[in-house]
Amino acid sequence: MNYMTAKEAARLWNISQRRVAVLCAEQKIQNAERLGNMWLIPKDSKKPIDGRGLRFNNSNIKPFVKWAGGKAQLIEEIRKLYPTELGENINKYAEPFVGGGAVLFDILSRYELKEVYISDTNAELITTYKVIRDDVEEIIALLSKYQLDYSPMCESDRKIYYYTKRARFNDLKLKKQMDTELASLFIFLNRTCFNGLYRVNSKGEYNVPMGSYKSPIICDEAKLRQVARALSKVSIFCADYRESASFIDKRTFAYFDPPYRPLNITSSFTAYTEHVFDDAAQVELARFIKIMVDKGAYILTSNSDPRNVDPNDNFFDELYSKMKILRVPASRMINSNPKSRGKILELLICSEGAI
């Protein structure tokens, strides 16, 4: 019989090596054998179903990170555009720009689905999703330590602690050491930085300064465990949105929430990765979405509304002329000028016949 290692199985099944070892120890992988400290698994083994579902008791699951452009404030409007057959004939969900995952977690709270696919090009974010799914107790242990260290500190000591952790995060990021420590630092920085931003410079270094929160919740154990259960059977990938094409079919609801087109030259306040999502990228995404619509998938996408600053700017109206376009009010939550924070319109664009 031909065998593969736990590491090879983990890569094949898109789960952690530790999770594979647990499944072997629980005898959920037939004919798996232990040789010293190593598990050997038959190469024709299928990824076992471990009984953890794609819906978590209809709980109202919330994102575990703050995220610029997150959809928590628009979730009621977005929810109105869910396909009526979601959970029935439409039994798959894809979110290729997952970000903070507000829509993902709302979907997981409400529907029983056959398969769920999420991805993002932010490797550190995706590592954090995977670590929470596969090793939640380890990340809780690290975050608990950060909480105990950070909370009683004075502001000057907090600054030293924060920037030391930020430097360590960038060191791990540069080395591409995508592990539990990096994931824990990702959450620590998100909870203690300025406005929960994730921004990198041209070298790919995270460069957000410390925030001024008096009592930040660094380790929310209950939420992290809830999120871990919700993600238990979700397929998670660090990938360009185009790689979702093989997953998306006529039984799929796919939501695309790309980096928004800046309303003006000063509103591009953050970069989530080292790569810029410019107008050419928006056009390419629209072409991809059309291909997915032609496959029969139910598609919803969102973006900024250029008409907020120029009533004659029809960039998205022309780009998505074959789809339904709705303009919905949203709050500009992050802006360097407080006077510029307020209600604007954003676009929700969905397949023809969706509403």
Side-chain angles (χ1 to χ4, degrees):
M1 183 179 291
N2 292 324
Y3 290 92
M4 58 182 168
T5 64
K7 184 176 182 179
E8 291 169 332
R11 190 181 303 115
L12 178 65
W13 296 338
N14 191 34
I15 59 178
S16 72
Q17 184 174 340
R18 180 180 176 181
R19 184 64 193 156
V20 173
V22 169
L23 292 170
C24 290
E26 293 177 346
Q27 299 183 342
K28 292 182 177 178
I29 302 177
Q30 191 172 6
N31 296 323
E33 297 181 5
R34 188 162 186 165
L35 182 62
N37 293 325
M38 179 186 298
W39 282 102
L40 297 177
I41 300 159
K43 281 193 172 181
D44 58 356
S45 296
K46 302 297 182 182
K47 181 180 177 181
I49 298 173
D50 58 12
R52 298 181 292 180
L54 281 174
R55 184 178 66 184
F56 180 57
N57 297 330
N58 280 327
S59 298
N60 189 16
I61 310 167
K62 299 293 185 183
F64 60 89
V65 289
K66 304 173 186 177
W67 203 252
K71 292 299 172 289
Q73 61 166 312
L74 284 181
I75 197 65
E76 290 188 12
E77 294 295 331
I78 292 172
R79 196 179 288 148
K80 294 174 185 176
L81 300 177
Y82 292 169
T84 56
E85 294 184 344
L86 185 59
E88 298 173 2
N89 289 339
I90 298 177
N91 54 24
K92 297 170 64 179
Y93 177 71
E95 192 170 338
F97 297 89
V98 69
V103 177
L104 165 72
F105 292 121
D106 190 61
I107 293 288
L108 292 175
S109 298
R110 293 169 175 272
Y111 300 97
E112 199 78 49
L113 297 171
K114 181 180 178 182
E115 296 178 80
V116 175
Y117 171 109
I118 63 172
S119 66
D120 204 287
T121 56
N122 186 318
E124 297 73 44
L125 172 68
I126 289 299
T127 294
T128 305
Y129 270 97
K130 288 182 176 181
V131 168
I132 291 175
R133 180 191 64 186
D134 299 333
D135 297 305
V136 68
E137 296 306 322
E138 288 191 18
I139 198 170
I140 284 174
L142 287 171
L143 290 171
S144 296
K145 183 180 185 306
Y146 302 158
Q147 183 90 58
L148 289 171
D149 290 345
Y150 188 84
S151 294
M153 288 180 176
C154 64
E155 184 176 359
S156 59
D157 287 344
R158 282 185 172 189
K159 282 186 177 180
I160 294 171
Y161 192 88
Y162 175 87
Y163 288 108
T164 300
K165 294 300 185 188
R166 193 180 78 171
R168 176 60 176 166
F169 175 81
N170 281 325
D171 182 52
L172 295 174
K173 186 179 188 299
L174 180 65
K175 293 176 180 176
K176 299 187 184 300
Q177 187 173 323
M178 301 297 164
D179 58 10
T180 304
E181 183 187 1
L182 178 133
S184 68
L185 290 171
F186 183 97
I187 294 177
F188 168 78
L189 294 171
N190 180 265
R191 305 308 297 182
T192 57
C193 74
F194 175 74
N195 273 350
L197 282 174
Y198 188 91
R199 182 187 64 202
V200 296
N201 59 24
S202 59
K203 297 179 182 179
E205 297 170 329
Y206 179 80
N207 65 355
V208 181
M210 188 181 86
S212 56
Y213 306 107
K214 291 184 178 180
S215 302
I217 300 175
I218 296 168
C219 184
D220 189 335
E221 292 187 33
K223 176 182 285 187
L224 288 168
R225 290 190 179 102
Q226 183 188 48
V227 168
R229 289 191 289 269
L231 294 174
S232 62
K233 290 174 63 180
V234 174
S235 297
I236 305 171
F237 299 94
C238 182
D240 181 87
Y241 69 86
R242 296 173 187 86
E243 294 189 36
S244 66
S246 60
F247 176 87
I248 297 172
D249 58 24
K250 65 181 180 181
R251 294 188 178 277
T252 307
F253 170 35
Y255 173 54
F256 293 83
D257 185 31
Y260 276 18
R261 186 180 190 235
L263 293 178
N264 53 59
I265 196 168
T266 62
S267 66
S268 185
F269 59 86
T270 185
Y272 302 104
T273 69
E274 299 88 312
H275 310 290
V276 176
F277 207 87
D278 56 14
D279 279 4
Q282 297 285 0
V283 171
E284 186 63 29
L285 172 62
R287 290 174 181 154
F288 179 82
I289 285 176
K290 182 182 183 302
I291 293 171
M292 298 303 101
V293 170
D294 290 344
K295 288 173 70 173
Y298 184 108
I299 304 296
L300 174 65
T301 185
S302 50
N303 221 301
S304 60
D305 184 1
R307 292 185 184 177
N308 283 296
V309 294
D310 181 358
N312 297 314
D313 190 336
N314 295 316
F315 180 78
F316 288 116
D317 294 81
E318 295 173 358
L319 201 57
Y320 292 101
S321 60
K322 302 298 184 182
M323 297 178 71
K324 297 279 188 180
I325 300 176
L326 290 81
R327 288 176 160 84
V328 297
S331 295
R332 185 194 301 272
M333 300 302 292
I334 299 177
N335 194 295
S336 59
N337 182 0
K339 294 181 180 180
S340 297
R341 300 175 188 173
K343 290 291 183 182
I344 60 171
L345 293 178
E346 292 191 6
L347 302 179
L348 294 177
I349 304 165
C350 56
S351 307
E352 276 285 353
I355 58 173

